[in-house]
Amino acid sequence: MSTEATSAIKVPVSGKSANVSEKKGSKKNGKIEQVQFTLKTPKGTKDWADKDMVIREGIFNSLSQLFKRHGGVTIDTPVFELREILAGKYGEDSKLIYNLEDQGGELTSLRYDLTVPFARFVAMNGISQIKRYHIAKVYRRDQPAMTKGRMREFYQCDFDVAGSHDPMVPDAEILAILVEGLTGLGVTDFKIKLNHRKILDGIFQVCGVKDEDVRKISSAVDKLDKLPWEAVKKEMCEEKNQPEEVADKIGEFVKLNGSIEEILSILTKNELLSNNPSAAEGLKEMQILDTYAKAFNITSFISFDLSLARGLDYYTGLIYEAVTAQSAPPKDADQKKKNAKTDDEDASEYVGVGSIAAGGRYDNLVGMFSGASRSSGKAGASIPCVGISFGVERIFSLIKARLESQQFKVRPTSTQVYIMAFGGGEGWNGFLAERMAIAKKLWSAGIECEYLYKAKANPRKQFDAAEKSGCPVGVILGKEEYPQGKLRVKLLGTGENDDGELIDIDDVVEVVKSKLKDGNVDGVDEVTRLLKGL
């Protein structure tokens, strides 16, 4: 026989830890054994609640509607995959994968992204063409920077096009989706850095890099957004064993950036590069892309940046990432990193937000699974793919900063109307059933509303509840007026000491909708204004 008891704990939503005594259920020598533990979320994770959830759900909704406009269908895949599915797909980042314990003979790992599971899904189901979007959590055992949206558990919002199409057509639309997605969330001060893996591989080849070293040199070049060229060159020569003259030749190329048209004019004049089969194919595709980008009117957001390499091994063509002024680390990042404690759980002080969206073309990834057996018993084919992934937490960090710097009244609930009843004296029952009836009318009309779960509710407590939820409109059932088919609709939070507008009960839906519309600025609610940066 055991007894159980736990102390009452008030847990802050911010995720701050607290030392807590737990009274275990077993007794030792007649005494309850005390165990100390820290009440906190795991490193790199956080609880989400209140206004933060409202904002995040708004981001999901905005991106989902965007994906649907472009013909996307949604799928879902398991949060963990067979370890062999993920192995060998992420280059040096493979060390960040969360491996799970053996459960009954299968070695599994938490998904690192949504791209490899999508490729597995396409190969396993014999799909030859699909536009899909997927909004789900992924896991990376990286150093967290919580206030910058760099976490170990985070959401990605992916849109991918799989199938054979004319060159660069889906690639250009993916870039248009990237621009639409960010501008639709009020993020306008961004730049899409893009490059082409075939051009980059061609550059490495003409500079003297051996084929087996291309991927690890790509990984070094990809650090140019965080490190100066001298540091990247040192890594190439000392850690990646490249001759200094090879590194110097690479440096002449990877320092170039500008519009697609500008960089193409430079690269096409280089005979060695133009005669390299890989680079020539990439240059031709970039010329096509330039035409389509102009058609979509997105060239002002694009920078053809030869320093962009993207560390993931599966990219085969166009690669890109969206960055803002907050993406880069602070200027004194090195000093702050030196001053940080070795056991510091958060690197926010010395890192930037990083890219807020990224993606590229991966034509061979599905083919890696095509030889594997499928449920149908047939081998799949290699399907060309291209996609984009929005980093929700990183975008959230930008929008949260916007919320804190401007006067937006984002409420933790969606409740629009609070239904109240005023009365008293002999025979007063609180109109609880009547409040329920009005709530049913409003709910049926798609209007979010609440009422106090108490039969005879004190007027002050009803107003306090309405104020706490931030409702803009109150519907008031008066003891004398309601039996006569009347009630009052009042705007809340205005500071006006009026009784509200007396209306017929049958008109409550129409009047409430009108009041709600009038309460919005230019017909737009506060959450939408925040997300769009209005």
Side-chain angles (χ1 to χ4, degrees):
M1 184 76 178
S2 64
T3 59
E4 292 189 7
T6 55
S7 56
I9 304 164
K10 186 176 182 181
V11 183
V13 173
S14 63
K16 294 179 180 178
S17 63
N19 289 324
V20 179
S21 293
E22 182 192 43
K23 295 183 178 181
K24 297 285 285 186
S26 60
K27 288 185 177 181
K28 189 175 183 180
N29 297 326
K31 295 181 179 180
I32 297 175
E33 186 180 358
Q34 299 285 331
V35 178
Q36 294 286 331
F37 65 92
T38 301
L39 192 61
K40 65 184 288 292
T41 59
K43 181 178 178 180
T45 66
K46 63 172 284 187
D47 292 319
W48 291 79
D50 299 330
K51 295 179 182 179
D52 287 356
M53 280 299 293
V54 173
I55 295 170
R56 194 170 73 169
E57 289 297 319
I59 295 172
F60 289 159
N61 183 61
S62 177
L63 292 177
S64 294
Q65 293 303 315
L66 165 66
F67 298 154
K68 291 174 184 177
R69 284 199 302 274
H70 285 264
V73 296
T74 192
I75 68 166
D76 195 14
T77 62
V79 73
F80 52 90
E81 295 274 350
L82 294 177
R83 196 172 299 174
E84 62 197 48
I85 296 291
L86 304 183
K89 311 300 190 300
Y90 302 108
E92 293 184 0
D93 286 346
S94 292
K95 63 183 182 291
L96 304 180
I97 294 174
Y98 274 102
N99 292 324
L100 304 178
E101 291 184 6
D102 181 3
Q103 299 291 338
E106 284 189 340
L107 292 177
T108 60
S109 302
L110 293 178
R111 60 188 174 204
Y112 179 89
D113 65 6
L114 301 178
T115 306
V116 171
F118 171 60
R120 189 265 307 153
F121 173 85
V122 170
M124 196 172 99
N125 291 283
I127 295 170
S128 60
Q129 196 162 300
I130 187 176
K131 284 183 176 181
R132 88 84 171 84
Y133 71 93
H134 191 185
I135 299 177
K137 288 182 177 180
V138 298
Y139 300 85
R140 299 183 185 180
R141 199 165 44 83
D142 206 350
Q143 174 64 18
M146 302 298 285
T147 63
K148 303 295 178 64
R150 298 166 71 100
M151 305 169 72
R152 289 185 164 185
E153 178 192 62
F154 57 96
Y155 270 96
Q156 287 188 333
C157 295
D158 283 21
F159 186 94
D160 294 76
V161 179
S164 297
H165 303 88
D166 283 358
M168 308 312 287
V169 174
D171 308 67
E173 185 167 349
I174 290 289
L175 291 176
I177 289 171
L178 173 50
V179 172
E180 284 183 61
L182 293 181
T183 56
L185 291 169
V187 181
T188 56
D189 60 338
F190 67 92
K191 186 65 70 174
I192 301 172
K193 294 165 58 176
L194 59 79
N195 199 358
H196 201 297
R197 269 285 174 84
K198 291 177 183 176
I199 295 175
L200 200 57
D201 289 352
I203 288 172
F204 294 150
Q205 289 167 3
V206 300
C207 290
V209 177
K210 296 178 182 178
D211 288 346
E212 60 266 26
D213 292 338
V214 164
R215 287 285 76 86
K216 63 183 182 182
I217 297 303
S218 290
S219 178
V221 169
D222 201 43
K223 297 174 183 176
L224 279 170
D225 62 334
K226 305 179 186 72
L227 300 173
W229 165 248
E230 291 73 19
V232 172
K233 178 183 174 181
K234 183 178 179 181
E235 179 179 331
M236 284 184 186
C237 298
E238 296 183 7
E239 297 179 29
K240 309 274 170 85
N241 302 314
Q242 297 302 306
E244 187 172 347
E245 58 270 21
V246 169
D248 288 337
K249 289 179 182 177
I250 293 172
E252 294 176 11
F253 285 102
V254 297
K255 294 174 185 177
L256 296 174
N257 64 81
S259 69
I260 299 177
E261 198 171 343
E262 289 169 345
I263 302 304
L264 280 176
S265 67
I266 296 172
L267 298 181
T268 51
K269 291 174 184 175
N270 187 300
E271 286 190 28
L272 282 175
L273 204 60
S274 296
N275 291 328
N276 178 276
S278 176
E281 188 174 349
L283 291 170
K284 182 179 178 181
E285 290 185 352
M286 289 299 292
Q287 288 171 335
I288 298 171
L289 179 68
D290 189 40
T291 300
Y292 298 158
K294 289 173 180 174
F296 281 128
N297 194 27
I298 58 174
T299 53
S300 62
F301 293 99
I302 291 174
S303 171
F304 190 175
D305 193 326
L306 292 180
S307 70
L308 180 68
R310 307 257 323 125
L312 301 180
D313 280 358
Y314 51 66
Y315 288 124
T316 59
L318 189 69
I319 50 177
Y320 34 83
E321 64 181 29
V323 296
T324 70
Q326 293 84 3
S327 295
K331 292 181 180 179
D332 56 349
D334 289 341
Q335 188 59 46
K336 287 183 176 179
K337 189 172 183 179
K338 289 177 183 178
N339 295 338
K341 297 177 182 178
T342 54
D343 60 348
D344 192 356
E345 292 197 352
D346 196 321
S348 296
E349 283 291 315
Y350 52 85
V351 303
V353 171
S355 61
I356 56 176
R361 175 161 285 280
Y362 51 103
D363 286 347
N364 300 330
L365 188 55
V366 174
M368 291 183 184
F369 305 120
S370 63
S373 60
R374 297 191 283 117
S375 56
S376 65
K378 299 177 182 178
S382 182
I383 307 296
C385 300
V386 62
I388 181 66
S389 178
F390 292 88
V392 173
E393 276 73 15
R394 298 184 182 189
I395 295 172
F396 171 87
S397 70
L398 301 179
I399 294 175
K400 189 69 180 291
R402 188 188 306 159
L403 172 66
E404 292 169 353
S405 65
Q406 301 178 36
Q407 297 300 312
F408 287 102
K409 297 178 181 178
V410 176
R411 300 185 292 114
T413 70
S414 298
T415 309
Q416 299 290 315
V417 180
Y418 212 90
I419 304 166
M420 298 174 266
F422 295 169
E426 188 177 351
W428 173 242
N429 65 5
F431 279 172
L432 179 56
E434 288 81 355
R435 281 181 277 152
M436 290 178 175
I438 295 299
K440 176 63 176 175
K441 275 179 175 287
L442 297 177
W443 288 333
S444 298
I447 299 170
E448 302 93 338
C449 65
E450 288 186 83
Y451 54 90
L452 204 63
Y453 288 2
K454 187 173 178 61
K456 294 182 180 180
N458 181 287
R460 183 67 266 165
K461 289 185 177 180
Q462 293 180 87
F463 271 114
D464 287 345
E467 183 179 350
K468 184 177 179 180
S469 66
C471 290
V473 173
V475 170
I476 302 169
L477 283 60
K479 180 182 178 181
E480 306 297 334
E481 297 158 344
Y482 191 80
Q484 297 175 18
K486 303 284 186 179
L487 49 73
R488 293 184 182 274
V489 179
K490 175 179 171 60
L491 288 176
L492 304 176
T494 62
E496 298 292 331
N497 192 24
D498 65 285
D499 294 330
E501 180 183 352
L502 187 65
I503 66 166
D504 291 334
I505 292 174
D506 292 341
D507 296 334
V508 64
V509 170
E510 182 182 346
V511 173
V512 164
K513 284 184 175 181
S514 177
K515 296 282 187 186
L516 290 173
K517 186 177 180 181
D518 291 344
N520 292 333
V521 180
D522 297 327
V524 181
D525 66 85
E526 282 293 299
V527 175
T528 302
R529 289 175 59 78
L530 169 65
L531 293 176
K532 293 185 176 295
L534 300 177

